[in-house]
Amino acid sequence: MAETATAVNGSGSSGTRSCGRGSSTPSDNYFLARRRTLQVVVSSLLTEAGFESAEKAAVETLTEMLQSYLTEIGRSAKSFCEHTARTQPTLPDVVVTLIEMGFNVDTLPAYAKRSQRMVITAPPVTNHPVVPKALSAGQNRPHPAHIPSHLPEFPDPHTYIKTPTCREPVGDYQVLREKAASQRRDVERALTRFMAKTGETQSLFKDDTSIFPLIAARPLSIPYLNALLPSELELQQVEETDSSEQDDQTDTENLSMHLHADDPGEEKENSSVLQHSSLKGGEDTMIDNPYLRPVKKPKLRRKK
């Protein structure tokens, strides 16, 4: 009889294995495990009843009936529990459900103490996968007195506390000058290193040429040519002088024409004043030091 029960159990488990090969979700795995446990229970009940063998279709039918019976007991017990404004079913709810379904509750103690019963080992308990905790920043605030404890906790402080992400611009004159000087120094150092790596260099030490490289001086074919050619500063000064003289000349012509049309008697006086101012402006442009030059006032253009 035990061999027959083993054969029946083996046939049921093989069927569930074939059905569970394609399942991968947790809900499907739970359904297959529950179905397999019910099949083992049905096989044990058949063995206790004296059956030596059973067809697979019969075992499946009895398993479906047992599953429907247990599902109905659970549903009715939950209904009685909710009817009394509770959330967890208790033993009286199950007893009332069995009585409503027509089951004789008094026979349960004798059936539980039967001598030929078969003890089914509990399925192995699998440890639930540990869910990694999310990264938390700071310490969460506890609930105030007016908020119930069953409500969710406060989120991390960084989700509702203002966090400055930028600094205020520095406006100190000394700090700005030091920053500009350090940037200029870094640019010069980077440019010097670039020229030293890309061009010819000279070293202070003969043993190691990579220490303190110096930019090699390139002798010119005509050394005195730079002394004869004007520098960029002189060319800029000449251009500014030419443009200022041209503007003064244009203003003088426009003013003389305007005075000639208004009052021909004051033409000589105004022309002498303009000549004096032009000579004075020419003397000012001869000063080489830019810090000693007088302040140039904006020129007023008169409409013709």
Side-chain angles (χ1 to χ4, degrees):
M1 186 178 295
E3 295 177 356
T4 306
T6 305
V8 172
N9 295 340
S11 63
S13 61
S14 62
T16 53
R17 286 176 187 173
S18 62
C19 296
R21 288 178 182 175
S23 61
S24 58
T25 60
S27 60
D28 294 341
N29 294 335
Y30 174 75
F31 174 77
L32 292 176
R34 183 182 59 182
R35 190 79 173 183
R36 190 179 299 110
T37 303
L38 292 177
Q39 287 178 354
V40 173
V41 172
V42 170
S43 300
S44 301
L45 292 176
L46 292 175
T47 304
E48 291 180 8
F51 290 94
E52 296 182 355
S53 62
E55 296 182 359
K56 184 177 179 181
V59 174
E60 289 291 337
T61 302
L62 292 175
T63 302
E64 187 69 26
M65 293 174 63
L66 180 60
Q67 181 176 355
S68 301
Y69 191 77
L70 295 176
T71 302
E72 182 63 23
I73 292 175
R75 188 191 63 79
S76 299
K78 182 181 178 182
S79 300
F80 286 117
C81 173
E82 293 177 350
H83 181 69
T84 55
R86 288 182 286 108
T87 58
Q88 296 292 336
T90 57
L91 182 59
D93 297 328
V94 179
V95 172
V96 173
T97 300
L98 293 176
I99 294 174
E100 290 291 333
M101 294 178 65
F103 186 80
N104 189 5
V105 184
D106 298 333
T107 59
L108 281 177
Y111 183 78
K113 295 178 181 180
R114 67 189 184 279
S115 59
Q116 71 275 14
R117 72 178 185 276
M118 297 182 62
V119 179
I120 302 174
T121 59
V125 179
T126 57
N127 297 327
H128 295 282
V130 179
V131 180
K133 296 182 179 180
L135 296 177
S136 60
Q139 188 175 3
N140 295 345
R141 292 174 53 189
H143 286 297
H146 62 278
I147 297 180
S149 60
H150 64 272
L151 293 178
E153 297 180 355
F154 282 102
D156 293 339
H158 73 275
T159 59
Y160 57 88
I161 294 179
K162 181 180 179 182
T163 304
T165 57
C166 60
R167 298 179 180 178
E168 296 182 358
V170 181
D172 191 6
Y173 177 75
Q174 181 179 358
V175 177
L176 293 177
R177 287 297 301 270
E178 292 177 356
K179 186 176 181 180
S182 62
Q183 291 179 353
R184 190 182 302 107
R185 184 169 57 254
D186 294 341
V187 171
E188 292 178 356
R189 186 183 296 111
L191 182 60
T192 305
R193 291 178 180 177
F194 176 75
M195 294 180 64
K197 288 183 179 181
T198 55
E200 298 178 0
T201 57
Q202 296 177 357
S203 179
L204 296 176
F205 305 96
K206 296 182 179 180
D207 299 336
D208 193 355
T209 58
S210 61
I211 300 177
F212 299 106
L214 302 177
I215 300 175
R218 297 179 181 178
L220 300 176
S221 58
I222 306 177
Y224 56 86
L225 184 60
N226 291 335
L228 299 177
L229 295 176
S231 61
E232 295 181 359
L233 181 60
E234 293 177 353
L235 292 175
Q236 186 178 1
Q237 291 178 356
V238 171
E239 291 178 358
E240 291 178 355
T241 305
D242 294 343
S243 60
S244 61
E245 290 179 356
Q246 186 175 1
D247 293 339
D248 293 341
Q249 185 178 0
T250 306
D251 294 340
T252 305
E253 293 177 357
N254 295 335
L255 184 57
S256 61
M257 292 176 61
H258 180 70
L259 293 175
H260 181 71
D262 293 344
D263 190 1
E266 298 179 357
E267 182 179 359
K268 295 181 179 181
E269 183 179 356
N270 293 330
S271 62
S272 62
V273 172
L274 292 174
Q275 289 178 1
H276 179 69
S277 62
S278 62
L279 291 175
K280 186 177 180 181
E283 292 176 357
D284 294 340
T285 55
M286 296 301 293
I287 299 175
D288 296 333
N289 193 346
Y291 297 98
L292 299 178
R293 294 177 184 174
V295 179
K296 294 183 179 180
K297 297 182 179 180
K299 300 174 183 180
L300 299 177
R301 305 255 181 170
R302 297 182 179 180
K303 298 182 180 180
K304 296 182 181 180

